[in-house]
Amino acid sequence: MKAFEFKPKLFTALKNYSKELFMADLMAGIIVGIVALPLAIAFGIASGVSPEKGIITAIIAGFIISMLGGSKVQIGGPTGAFIVIIYGIIQQYGEAGLIVATLMAGIILILLGIFKLGAVIKFIPYPIIVGFTSGIAVTIFTTQIADIFGLSFGGEKVPGDFVGKWMIYFQHFDTINWWNTIISIVSIVIIAITPKFSKKIPGSLIAIIVVTVAVYLMKTYAGINCIDTIGDRFSIKAELPDAVMPSLNWEAIQDLFPVAITIAVLGAIESLLSATVADGVIGDKHDSNTELIAQGAANLITPLFGGIPATGAIARTMANINNGGKTPVAGMIHAMVLLLILLFLMPLAQYIPMACLAGVLVIVSYNMSGWRTFKALLKNPKSDVTVLLITFFLTVIFDLTIAIEVGLVIACVLFMHRVMETTEISVIKDEINLNEESASKEEEENLSIPKGVEVYEINGPYFFGIATKFEEIMSRLGDRPKVRIIRMRKVPFIDSTGIHNLTNLCQMAQREKTTIVLSGVNEKVHKALEKSGFYELLGEKNICPNINVALERSKELLNE
């Protein structure tokens, strides 16, 4: 087994670094830093923390992911996918609980990378990814309804669950503030039409600047003071906080462990998906295990400074590529740009209207929803549609932790069901046709099966599902031949349940005076059976290399 190697792309990129590459990375880094600013603020507030914590996450996690990551162009930071999880953790455990959960997720991600499980993450079924991504999009949209319509709840606490939120929204819809609604609609329209005029400057930034200036003028000169801004709800600190180690206790670790796994799995999926998309555009190949370790390191260090969970961000990674980013240096520059903005321009963020940020997040949720993909998947086989819908509704109605756990279980069950369907068990009583088999020229085309002998052919893996199926076929036949030959030439592997089943079958056959003969067992299956002690029960003479030898052995047994 090949030893694990930690190879950040930055180290290989710097070997042949040049002034031209630096200038390309510098321009890309500045633009991506500007693109990331409104998103970091919006994600921070939507997650239930102060706006600067979203930027702190983008700075620290973005720098670490680029410095240690396995992708040349990956941009890391807070993403919309984590909003729902973070908000739920803060509601239940507070910000201290969020720090503990993020630290644990960081450790899990590092272990996933060390044990080379990066490739395994990619095998999570696509319907599950689409299901919970679309579910998160719906949930993010739901959390923004109050700010879009400027609803006031008279001190009543907004529930954390989807159904509870909509119930309280409908109860207080008579408190709608039309100025907020107009601000949100204008922001959405600006973001939607910006790509038609500018590919470089993000629509979210233009919307924030235009709408913030307009609202400031309205408040100052028109006396319209009913539009909430960030400054009305948060006190912004334009500084990097000191690192603080949270107090850890075993009870909190136990309670938060399932949530930490969800953060780690979601972070791994999103970062590796982003890196894979980037590979397709730039023609490179990322190191998935190195990337996971970088993601883990980012989530281990960022929460110490008050940050939130981070991962690779597809939109910002694509912005990096489209603006000429060539190496991880671009991602590190993006983090430095955000640091300068935090230190010198952050006080201006207090004038940004909450309704404008809600508009930004409506666009984010729309892009995340992938409704065209969702619609296309509904035409797939029923099993895929089942996984998709269950994951989606569990994400929306309950939470992402339950959705991922249940979705993976269902996907595994359906996978095993499909394997069972592909594994065939046939019973042959008269003769075996060798025309389609690789038999030698000396062999006849057909082999006759002596009376009192039955041949069972297993085509496919012999695992716990098939073991039961095999027993059902034999009990349905109900006869008791003197010899049962089990052809296993097309069995690639056998699990412990399959071995247990064969052992029971052999013991039952001995009680019925029937002898089991195995034919064509491959080396891998042979080793598994030998190690389990199965051959001691069966006897070496009853293990045959091919069907010809097995039939000769059955004739000997019939004559005994």
Side-chain angles (χ1 to χ4, degrees), residues 353-391:
M354 295 299 295
C356 179
L357 289 180
V360 171
L361 288 170
V362 165
I363 295 293
V364 169
S365 62
Y366 175 80
N367 292 333
M368 274 186 73
S369 69
W371 64 270
R372 292 181 181 85
T373 305
F374 194 98
K375 185 180 175 183
L377 280 176
L378 292 175
K379 299 175 184 176
N380 281 16
K382 287 182 180 179
S383 57
D384 286 344
V385 175
T386 301
V387 172
L388 173 71
L389 293 177
I390 288 175
T391 309

Side-chain angles (χ1 to χ4, degrees), residues 411-425 458-471 488 490-502 525 529:
C412 290
V413 170
L414 289 170
F415 170 75
M416 290 184 288
H417 178 68
R418 285 173 182 165
V419 172
M420 282 180 65
E421 287 180 337
T422 57
T423 301
E424 296 176 351
I425 300 172
I458 304 174
N459 186 357
Y462 196 143
F463 70 121
F464 60 89
I466 302 305
T468 308
K469 188 176 180 181
F470 193 32
E471 284 181 346
M488 300 179 72
K490 293 182 180 179
V491 177
F493 72 85
I494 187 168
D495 72 352
S496 57
T497 309
I499 294 170
H500 178 69
N501 169 265
L502 274 179
V525 176
L529 291 172

